[in-house]
Amino acid sequence: MMLVNAKNLHYRALNEALRKAADDCTVTECCGQRYIAAGMSHKSITISGTPGNALGAYLNGAVITVNANAQEAVGDTMNAGKIVVHGNIGDAAGYAMRGGKIFVRGNAGYRAGIHMKAYEEKRPLMVIGGRAGSFLGEYQAGGVIVVLGLGAKDQEIVGNFPCTGMHGGKMFLRSDCRNIKFPSQVTARAADGTDREEVKAYVSEYCDLFGYDIRQVLSSPFTVITPDSKSPYRQMYVAN
């Protein structure tokens, strides 16, 4: 295993060191460097400290583990692989995500899953263990977003305007969502037995990663959100 101390490294130098590293690499004292592991494949990278914007952008199969928080645009346009964050993440996580998995133990900022899409046989997955900010799943076109709201207490597990422009994919919220207002182009309903079996497959890996009891997590109600075929999303812009 290669050890890289990032304390005094420019982000370009850090990424060059990662490209030259063996399959397993540990980065210590990360201090906001951008684009870590961008486009990387077939490596396992563990990060201590706080990586900067666009961690794992265009990721192609590597596995990244962050033992703290991460900043904005985690997994920007990632294609394959896995990102595991043991803290919170900033805004726009999973932007235009086309494949792979993102697991966040804590909270996510606003616009998580914006423009998420399924690409060919790939089906991206994002599981947020805490709360998600406003505009969750904005313009979601594919893939799956799960928000568990663990530790949310009396707060709603999502912020304002979830699913705005959603026209594909699926979302699972661990809540009855009685006080959440959804746009007219989506259908929000209580999860049935089939839905709960589906979400179990997504949540089981989250529970294994972070040490939660899956039976306890699944004992709460879930709401399933999908695009409404009777009231579909209409494009705001048209070509001239």
Side-chain angles (χ1 to χ4, degrees):
M1 180 181 292
M2 182 173 179
L3 183 66
V4 178
N5 187 302
K7 185 176 181 179
N8 297 311
L9 292 181
H10 188 274
Y11 78 89
R12 291 192 182 94
L14 174 55
N15 276 304
E16 184 61 26
L18 291 176
R19 279 191 286 272
K20 294 178 180 178
D23 289 344
D24 293 328
C25 183
T26 295
V27 178
T28 62
E29 297 192 76
C30 189
C31 49
Q33 288 92 341
R34 300 176 291 164
Y35 306 117
I36 294 177
M40 196 159 285
S41 59
H42 310 303
K43 290 190 178 185
S44 178
I45 301 168
T46 302
I47 301 173
S48 296
T50 304
N53 297 345
L55 169 72
Y58 301 98
L59 198 69
N60 260 326
V63 177
I64 302 173
T65 301
V66 181
N67 291 321
N69 299 325
Q71 295 184 30
E72 283 73 24
V74 170
D76 179 1
T77 325
M78 70 183 287
N79 297 301
K82 182 164 66 176
I83 300 175
V84 179
V85 179
H86 284 259
N88 304 314
I89 55 176
D91 304 330
Y95 175 85
M97 186 180 177
R98 298 177 292 191
K101 302 175 182 179
I102 298 175
F103 295 98
V104 183
R105 180 168 193 166
N107 302 322
Y110 76 97
R111 286 193 164 93
I114 179 175
H115 291 293
M116 180 188 281
K117 62 192 73 174
Y119 181 69
E120 295 181 346
E121 75 283 358
K122 299 175 183 177
R123 193 183 190 198
L125 169 67
M126 181 186 299
V127 181
I128 299 166
R131 300 179 66 248
S134 298
F135 294 100
L136 173 71
E138 185 177 36
Y139 304 117
Q140 184 182 352
V144 177
I145 299 173
V146 182
V147 183
L148 299 176
L150 299 169
K153 297 182 180 179
D154 296 329
Q155 295 177 301
E156 297 293 347
I157 69 171
V158 297
N160 297 323
F161 318 115
C163 312
T164 300
M166 180 183 186
H167 54 285
K170 186 179 288 188
M171 192 180 296
F172 294 90
L173 303 179
R174 185 173 168 264
S175 166
D176 58 23
C177 295
R178 285 179 295 179
N179 299 318
I180 299 175
K181 185 177 180 181
F182 294 100
S184 60
Q185 75 265 10
V186 303
T187 297
R189 58 176 176 78
D192 60 22
T194 301
D195 298 317
R196 297 183 76 83
E197 282 301 311
E198 181 181 357
V199 77
K200 181 179 179 180
Y202 308 135
V203 173
S204 60
E205 188 169 359
Y206 175 93
C207 291
D208 289 342
L209 286 166
F210 301 120
Y212 285 93
D213 184 342
I214 190 169
R215 292 171 298 180
Q216 184 177 356
V217 171
L218 293 176
S219 66
S220 298
F222 276 81
T223 300
V224 184
I225 300 98
T226 52
D228 187 347
S229 60
K230 296 179 181 178
S231 180
Y233 165 71
R234 298 178 184 275
Q235 286 283 357
M236 297 172 61
Y237 307 104
V238 295
N240 292 327

